[in-house]
Amino acid sequence: MSALYGTYARSNLAFERGEGVRLYAQDGTEYLDFHAGVAVNALGHGDPHMVAALKAAADRVWHTANTFTIPEQERLGQRLVEHTFADACFFTNSGTEAVECAVKTARHYFWAKGQVDRYEIIAFTGSFHGRTMGMIAASGNEHYLEGFGPPLAGFVHLDPNDLAAVEQAITPNTAAILVEPVQGEGGCTEMTGDFMRGLRALCDKHGMLLILDEVQCGYGRTGKFFAHEWTGIEPDIMAVAKGIGAGFPLGACLAKGEVAKSMVPGTHGSTYGGNPLACAIGNAVLDRMLAPGFFEQVDHVGQRLKWHLQQLAQRFPHQVLELRGRGLLAGIRIAAPVKEVVARLRDEQHMLAMTANENVLRLLPPLVVTEADIEEAMAKLAAVFEQIEAEKATA
Ligand SMILES: *Cc1c(COP(=O)(O)O)cnc(C)c1O
């Protein structure tokens, strides 16, 4: 009997060691990791630069509260500002807190301008923004809201990629639009470029703020630093996490200066957020990701993954129903129950993959994955699909 909450349907599998895209279980069995701790292990396991950075940081000050200057945090913020639309950052410990900060920043921006009723946020069905009371309301998923009392008010949910519906839903109280450019957990649905540009135009027209949740699709996963870079638009606020610490708990809310300026002393805070240890790791991640050619390589390998998935879809037209996502956030809507396929991949093929809603199999390999790794993964997927078809034929 475990001493832990029963909130996860855990497998008994425990890992001891990792190297690149490989994980090794306690009994030594090797697993191909196309799960990456839910898109967190962006640089794979045991990256020597990351290990050295953590060891060096352990010899310095681990933690000082944000009442003092934290040089590693200043540096990480400066680098993020230099490489994005943003002018200012707030560091958190998680993705949920990063989106929470984004929502607070948007609401406070209008409050400070005297528009106190302007707090409504348009969000989308199939989205996932985290698990705090605020973020289950932002996500709007009934399963996550049920049983937890009245949800936080002020969120409206619409279908993704329906710009006319968004335009109709805007009221004088609408403060912002909150969207994942590529949904993760919801089923890997990508927002179209036209939809994203349309949202930006509506925000400009109505003086609203565009908030992007790039917690999963950002930090290189789609083949650019941030997924919105594919669409040519910029947000006003953006939440990031997952890959930002490559396994160390860290997140950030990035904003334009004009938008962030009402967040004065006392308006928000975090004890751990952006502590020296976390930011040393965040800087080491950027050393690797901002090196010339890193994102180009992710883009290249992401396109190879797509090509291989198209081959798989042609070979198994009754198993692969639809390909979704972008880059190394790939979704395969399949015919067989996705939980069963994930279990077979794990137990029979020793490959780790994820589920997403709408019966989508989600592939999230570390960004350092090679085409050879992808070919190996495709062979494992094919073996599972073949087995399912053979069982169907004899049934
Ligand atoms: C994972 C995720 C979150 C929540 O992040 P946590 O680190 O689990 O708090 C929020 N938004 C998106 C898009 C995510 O994928």
Side-chain angles (χ1 to χ4, degrees):
M1 180 67 188
S2 171
L4 307 177
Y5 263 36
T7 42
Y8 299 102
R10 295 176 199 270
S11 134
N12 289 327
L13 203 51
F15 297 104
E16 213 164 52
R17 193 168 65 79
E19 205 182 314
V21 300
R22 316 276 153 177
L23 273 172
Y24 298 86
Q26 286 170 325
D27 68 359
T29 309
E30 180 184 298
Y31 287 79
L32 179 62
D33 186 8
F34 271 51
H35 180 297
V38 197
V40 166
N41 301 110
L43 301 170
H45 304 278
D47 180 278
H49 181 64
M50 297 306 302
V51 173
L54 180 61
K55 285 181 174 166
D59 284 332
R60 299 192 297 263
V61 173
W62 286 19
H63 176 82
T64 64
N66 282 298
T67 37
F68 301 98
T69 295
I70 300 173
E72 285 281 5
Q73 187 185 126
E74 299 282 345
R75 179 161 176 257
L76 181 57
Q78 189 57 40
R79 292 170 90 185
L80 286 173
V81 161
E82 271 165 25
H83 289 88
T84 65
F85 72 95
D87 305 302
C89 311
F90 182 94
F91 289 100
T92 68
N93 313 292
S94 69
T96 308
E97 291 167 286
V99 196
E100 187 94 27
C101 178
V103 167
K104 284 184 74 175
T105 301
R107 287 184 170 187
H108 204 262
Y109 167 78
F110 289 107
W111 177 87
K113 293 212 299 182
Q115 302 179 36
V116 295
D117 291 328
R118 203 164 179 190
Y119 58 80
E120 260 178 34
I121 293 175
I122 295 176
F124 296 93
T125 53
S127 66
F128 180 77
H129 301 300
R131 297 289 205 148
T132 57
M133 288 302 301
M135 291 306 102
I136 57 176
S139 307
N141 183 325
E142 291 297 332
H143 296 298
Y144 299 159
L145 284 161
E146 188 177 29
F148 294 107
L152 181 69
F155 294 96
V156 177
H157 295 92
L158 306 172
D159 287 338
N161 288 324
D162 184 351
L163 199 63
V166 176
E167 189 156 23
Q168 267 180 14
I170 295 168
T171 75
N173 295 343
T174 310
I177 297 173
L178 168 62
V179 63
E180 289 166 86
V182 186
Q183 291 184 340
E185 152 135 6
C188 307
T189 300
E190 185 182 16
M191 304 303 132
T192 66
D194 282 345
F195 183 65
M196 292 291 287
R197 287 182 286 275
L199 293 181
R200 177 71 269 174
L202 285 176
C203 285
D204 293 342
K205 183 174 164 195
H206 296 275
M208 306 181 309
L209 300 175
L210 182 61
I211 307 173
L212 299 185
D213 181 347
E214 293 226 17
V215 169
Q216 188 157 157
C217 63
Y219 253 81
R221 186 139 294 275
T222 68
K224 292 222 183 261
F225 195 8
F226 294 105
H228 68 266
E229 293 170 28
W230 292 108
T231 68
I233 59 129
E234 288 186 342
D236 300 294
I237 309 176
M238 177 171 73
V240 303
K242 295 209 161 96
I244 191 175
F248 201 94
L250 180 62
C253 175
L254 281 58
K256 287 191 173 148
E258 162 70 11
V259 174
K261 79 172 195 284
S262 88
M263 298 299 278
V264 295
T267 53
H268 196 47
S270 168
T271 300
Y272 289 126
N275 86 359
L277 210 47
C279 289
I281 299 300
N283 275 309
V285 169
L286 286 188
D287 295 342
R288 293 278 275 102
M289 287 199 188
L290 297 177
F294 185 91
F295 297 128
E296 287 79 0
Q297 168 60 20
V298 176
D299 181 29
H300 170 74
V301 83
Q303 289 185 34
R304 295 311 297 159
L305 174 60
K306 188 173 181 184
W307 183 85
H308 283 285
L309 287 174
Q310 285 163 347
Q311 302 300 303
L312 195 73
Q314 280 180 19
R315 195 170 147 199
F316 297 98
H318 301 295
Q319 300 300 321
V320 177
L321 305 180
E322 185 191 349
L323 299 179
R324 295 182 178 183
R326 184 184 273 264
L328 298 179
L329 201 180
I332 317 168
R333 195 164 65 81
I334 56 178
V338 67
K339 278 186 187 158
E340 189 190 314
V341 169
V342 164
R344 284 191 191 214
L345 281 169
R346 181 188 65 218
D347 299 338
E348 293 160 20
Q349 301 297 325
H350 298 161
M351 170 177 158
L352 308 176
M354 278 204 81
T355 61
N357 292 340
E358 302 179 354
N359 211 53
V360 168
L361 179 68
R362 187 167 26 150
L363 302 181
L364 300 162
L367 307 185
V368 294
V369 71
T370 65
E371 187 166 2
D373 300 324
I374 287 170
E375 283 167 4
E376 193 181 326
M378 293 303 112
K380 290 174 184 294
L381 271 167
V384 168
F385 287 148
E386 252 167 18
Q387 201 183 3
I388 289 171
E389 301 223 310
E391 284 165 16
K392 233 179 30 189
T394 56

